[in-house]
Amino acid sequence: MKKHIASNPSIKQASNGRRNFLKKSSLAALAASLGFEIVHAAKLPSNYVPLAFQDSDPFKLFNKNKELIVLNNKPWNLETPPHLLDDKITPADKMFVRNNGLIPENVDVNTWTLTVDGESVSQTKTYSLADLKSKFKNYTYQLTLECGGNGRSEFFPPASGNQWKVGAVSCANWTGIRLKDLLQDIGIKPDAVYIGYHSADSHLSNDPNKEPISRGVPIAKALQDETLIAFEMNGSPIPIAHGFPLRLVAGGFPASASGKWLNRISVRNIVHDGAKMEAPSYRVPCNPVAPGTEVSNEDMCIIESMPVKSLITNPKSGAMIPMNKKLEVRGHAWAGELEVKKVQVSIDFGATWQDCQLDPPVNRLAWQHFKTSLNFPKDGYYEVWAKATDSNGKSQPMLVPGWNPKGYLNNACHRIAVKVG
Ligand SMILES: Nc1nc2c(c(=O)[nH]1)N[C@H]1C(S)=C(S)[C@@H](COP(=O)(O)O)O[C@H]1N2
Ligand SMILES: [Mo]
């Protein structure tokens, strides 16, 4: 039996001290989250792991598109190549995965609760999932979630951490209740400055006293209409890799603020001090520094709104374009808490730019779609560069932006190669 268990990294992790993973009920839940049912689950010999779960294939485990790139399997981190992000709304199978710890097992929607506590609540209160769904009005928004470290691989000197290229971004349709409605139900004190999330994933060390990540947002962000406690993604229960059964979604901020597997929110009278809130995590130098500079923790500031950025999702880099044929270029652009006002493309390494058609956002904090068609003067090698400008007039840097020790916020122009002729 051990041998079978060991062949699956995630199951091996689970077996370190939590042998109840093999309970039939959890297998049934895992199977359901993968999108199929074990028809004769009740007849499984005890301690038998079905063949499907002896596999450590991330695509089988998470129902992902095979073209996603596995950066890491403990914890699981999967990046999406840009051409797979062509959909206006990111489908689950093409959504990047970023975990800091181990995905919870044995998720039972019937016993799952959300507790709201902290120095700045008038009372501590616990809600069942059913309470949350029925007691408060439901809202749906398309929300852009980009990892703060997206683009890290381009920084020099290199920064440690997942070497994301450009694909740690998504924009799905999230349905849930407004965090502000929940906070109103509980009552918050005037000294509330921050909220912090707590979740059911476990620390890589399996130490139950350590949380892999517990971040949060300033109270003003928590009270925005679009800050949701979500239970559905794209009209279905949230997939397990993305936070089933409950997730905080705070679009426009680094996606690390959007806690998956949410089971507690603390309303704080100080800046939340949970795991990975402390410097230098998810912080950049308060003032720009030269590449390679050592920056002390006091001089690092928490990342809030993400910078303006765009992604070319069609064509795929490396495309061959017949001469005399127009190239249809399209993609998405987003600007953290701001709106994108303009997207331009260049085929001459940024010497000249052509305006694209740009759609308004479906709602605040949703990415915007752009398109244009390009003519090439003669056959040969070209690069298409895309540059977005936000509502404050700030544009993306053509190559890498200001270096920072942890390699966050690389919003350089996305560049693809095409061959014409
Ligand atoms: N509980 C919990 N929430 C989490 C994380 C995590 O490891 N645990 N990772 C965060 C980070 S760093 C990112 S970028 C996003 C990734 O969301 P996704 O995996 O749904 O794409 O989830 C955030 N929420
Ligand atoms: Mo992240």
Side-chain angles (χ1 to χ4, degrees), residues 37-204:
E37 180 199 351
I38 302 175
V39 175
H40 292 298
K43 302 193 177 80
L44 275 170
S46 61
N47 284 333
Y48 176 77
V49 180
L51 298 174
F53 301 116
Q54 295 179 25
D55 209 309
S56 60
D57 180 342
F59 310 107
K60 286 189 189 155
L61 276 174
F62 304 121
N63 249 331
K64 290 287 174 184
N65 184 294
K66 291 259 182 215
E67 283 185 72
L68 262 63
I69 301 149
V70 180
L71 298 183
N72 218 327
N73 71 353
K74 198 184 175 186
W76 285 108
N77 286 297
L78 280 73
E79 152 146 29
T80 312
H83 68 279
L84 280 194
L85 289 170
D86 198 37
D87 302 84
K88 290 193 166 173
I89 299 174
T90 312
D93 70 318
K94 295 172 183 165
M95 182 178 279
F96 80 100
V97 177
R98 164 52 171 147
N99 293 327
N100 291 264
L102 308 174
I103 297 177
E105 296 117 20
N106 305 323
V107 170
D108 180 353
V109 289
N110 297 314
T111 56
W112 192 276
T113 55
L114 175 68
T115 298
V116 185
D117 65 6
E119 304 92 357
S120 301
V121 286
S122 314
Q123 52 173 330
T124 293
K125 212 163 160 177
T126 296
Y127 301 83
S128 68
L129 281 180
D131 281 347
L132 291 174
K133 290 181 192 176
S134 60
K135 223 177 143 162
F136 303 97
K137 190 165 178 226
N138 292 186
Y139 295 88
T140 299
Y141 297 108
Q142 287 177 30
L143 298 166
T144 308
L145 291 182
E146 181 182 16
C147 180
N150 195 23
R152 176 178 290 126
S153 64
E154 280 189 326
F155 282 110
F156 191 83
S160 62
N162 284 303
Q163 295 300 303
W164 301 108
K165 292 190 175 104
V166 293
V169 61
S170 66
C171 184
N173 231 339
W174 294 94
T175 300
I177 62 164
R178 285 179 173 158
L179 176 55
K180 74 171 190 185
D181 291 348
L182 184 73
L183 295 181
Q184 198 185 11
D185 187 58
I186 287 149
I188 60 171
K189 298 183 189 166
D191 66 351
V193 294
Y194 231 87
I195 64 103
Y197 67 75
H198 298 275
S199 308
D201 47 348
S202 35
H203 194 269
L204 288 177

